[in-house]
Amino acid sequence: MVNASILDAPYLDDLPSRDELIRLIYQGALDKVPFQAFLRTLAERIGCLNAGIILRLSRHGTPPIAIWAFKPGLSDEEARRIHEVHASVGHLDPLRNVLAKKGAIQTLDEVMPRAELEQNRFYREVLAPYGFYRMLGMYVREPGGWEGNIGVVNGPGTADFGERERQLLVDLRPHIEQALQIFARLRHEESEVQALIETFDRLTIATYILDGDGAVLRTNSAGRQLLSAADIVTTRDSRLALIDRHADSDLQDTLVAARHHRDSGTAGPFVHAVRVDADSERHVGLLVRSIDSGALQGGGSMPATVVYVSLGRSTQPLERLVMQLFELTPSEAHLATLLATGFSLAEAAGKLGLTENTVRTYCKTIMSKVGVGRQADLVALILRSVAVLG
């Protein structure tokens, strides 16, 4: 904890110090506690009591995320009590009420005279118990909907934050907002990965999410059970592998091909199905599918490939399996299943109650999602994938 006066802050003009803050901002999107290392360094550079960021997703019902450089010195019981008060009187927060648009940056003393501030319930019951006397806050936002306030605070007996501290935050704002965009994309991808894991848990298909180096990032309960059995799949140096060396060689070649496809930016996902004879009585079906990298370029810890493994005993309806495997809507999966089971476009249109032109348009959308260019290739891919995993 740093308690030095903010009046003695020559390092605010020190370029290396700024460069380190910028580096920590971008690293913060990947940290276990997002942006905490940056906030600590910011507080130390300024010489203030604490620094924090409150992030909110502009969606009803989403609770805010509060991150502090240093844990405020209160008991857990007192912190919970203040949190409850905060929830009921948050609308009285004088600083947050003015930090609600792009470019907003102000100190607490600029918003409300000190005499009036000390009569404000939010200040008395939420800020004062934390020892927060001086505050400088700035509004930040990224295009995906995450927004919030970043600020620095000081205790009693200190001067108000000045132009140097204000200018430092303004200079850092574009970096903070860009890092926040990375943070938002990571949160979105994490939620998508979790949804994928939960979906295939229900389908009882082992699912492995791999990073760019082939290491296992996540798996579901079916995947963990298969790893525990150690008779079909295993990990070598954290990378997914098959017990059978010959089959594993094919798998590793397929994973390399999937990563090359993803990195090349080719439209549509890479999808490849493989059937492996586990023993004389069982076969194992594997389907390797690349995960769209989208606009985010990341390191080896980013989800890159998903591998589905089935022991060939799925009882799921064909349509549902197709929908989940290829991320199709229910109507798209219905059409794809009809085509895969022998219906022509005209026959499928009649069964769906649509015109043939409409069905042809849907078919093009499905082929784009799946990553094939011809209807015959779509049918072949669906049949091969379902045969392997079904």
Side-chain angles (χ1 to χ4, degrees):
M1 183 79 66
V2 178
N3 294 299
S5 170
I6 62 170
L7 297 179
D8 300 319
Y11 43 74
L12 291 181
D13 298 319
D14 181 10
L15 187 58
S17 296
R18 289 173 185 258
D19 288 346
E20 175 65 5
L21 284 170
I22 291 171
R23 184 189 72 80
L24 290 172
I25 287 170
Y26 290 105
Q27 179 62 39
L30 304 172
D31 287 343
K32 184 175 181 180
V33 179
F35 305 109
Q36 190 173 68
F38 157 67
L39 292 170
R40 286 180 175 174
T41 303
L42 178 66
E44 290 166 355
R45 292 291 189 270
I46 291 179
C48 61
L49 181 69
N50 214 334
I53 184 168
I54 310 296
L55 298 176
R56 301 175 296 275
L57 185 59
S58 52
R59 185 181 302 155
H60 180 70
T62 303
I65 300 173
I67 304 152
W68 290 102
F70 308 102
K71 183 179 178 181
L74 294 175
S75 67
D76 291 342
E77 182 179 353
E78 179 67 2
R80 281 194 296 271
R81 186 194 66 79
I82 293 175
H83 181 75
E84 291 174 359
V85 174
H86 190 169
S88 64
V89 300
H91 61 286
L92 300 177
D93 183 347
L95 194 54
R96 179 186 168 182
N97 286 339
V98 297
L99 297 178
K101 63 181 180 179
K102 190 174 180 62
I105 178 169
Q106 284 193 273
T107 68
L108 188 59
D109 287 80
E110 290 172 331
V111 174
M112 187 174 288
R114 182 58 53 173
E116 184 179 344
L117 186 63
E118 291 176 352
Q119 300 303 313
N120 178 278
R121 184 183 173 191
F122 184 88
Y123 176 79
R124 292 198 323 269
E125 299 187 25
V126 177
L127 299 181
Y130 281 108
F132 296 167
Y133 188 79
R134 306 287 187 189
M135 302 182 71
L136 170 66
M138 180 177 70
Y139 178 83
V140 291
R141 181 182 177 87
E142 62 86 29
W146 283 94
E147 62 178 358
N149 302 325
I150 180 170
V152 290
V153 299
N154 239 337
T158 58
D160 198 9
F161 292 98
E163 185 58 32
R164 288 181 298 176
E165 295 79 24
R166 183 191 303 267
Q167 190 58 51
L168 177 62
L169 288 185
V170 169
D171 290 346
L172 294 177
R173 178 163 52 210
H175 301 287
I176 294 170
E177 291 183 335
Q178 190 169 353
L180 187 57
Q181 192 170 353
I182 296 173
F183 167 80
R185 179 58 187 267
L186 289 172
R187 296 273 297 196
H188 177 68
E189 289 203 356
E190 173 65 17
S191 65
E192 286 186 333
V193 167
Q194 183 59 38
L196 192 65
I197 290 288
E198 292 172 354
T199 294
F200 282 91
D201 249 343
R202 292 191 294 272
L203 290 173
T204 64
I205 292 177
T207 306
Y208 302 94
I209 307 294
L210 311 184
D211 68 12
D213 297 322
V216 178
L217 292 176
R218 301 280 294 280
T219 186
N220 60 354
S221 59
R224 288 189 291 272
Q225 290 173 13
L226 209 53
L227 282 172
S228 297
D231 61 348
I232 296 172
V233 297
T234 186
T235 55
R236 299 190 183 104
D237 296 327
S238 300
R239 293 175 173 83
L240 186 69
L242 296 175
I243 297 295
D244 182 275
R245 293 285 179 169
H246 179 73
D248 183 58
S249 177
D250 291 342
L251 172 63
Q252 300 309 320
D253 288 344
T254 302
L255 292 176
V256 170
R259 292 195 291 273
H260 286 169
H261 176 92
R262 180 179 184 269
D263 294 342
S264 71
T266 305
F270 173 95
V271 183
H272 186 70
V274 180
R275 179 173 169 138
V276 178
D277 290 327
D279 51 42
S280 60
E281 297 181 354
R282 293 183 303 169
H283 80 269
V284 177
L286 292 93
L287 188 138
V288 178
R289 190 177 192 275
S290 62
I291 296 175
D292 180 21
S293 60
L296 184 64
Q297 299 298 318
S301 62
M302 294 294 298
T305 312
V306 57
V307 178
Y308 309 118
V309 182
S310 169
L311 296 181
R313 53 173 180 258
S314 173
T315 59
Q316 296 298 326
L318 175 59
E319 187 175 312
R320 185 180 179 194
L321 191 58
V322 168
M323 182 176 70
Q324 301 298 346
L325 286 176
F326 300 105
E327 298 179 4
L328 302 179
T329 66
S331 58
E332 290 168 346
H334 191 180
L335 173 57
T337 301
L338 289 174
L339 296 176
T341 51
F343 284 76
S344 67
L345 282 176
E347 290 169 338
K351 191 168 183 63
L352 295 172
L354 301 171
T355 67
E356 188 172 345
N357 284 338
T358 299
V359 168
R360 185 172 284 106
T361 300
Y362 281 155
C363 186
K364 289 179 180 178
T365 301
I366 295 168
M367 289 190 293
S368 176
K369 282 188 174 185
V370 172
V372 297
R374 299 186 308 155
Q375 183 180 329
D377 294 332
L378 172 66
V379 171
L381 177 59
I382 292 174
L383 290 177
R384 185 168 67 250
S385 302
V386 172
V388 165
L389 294 182

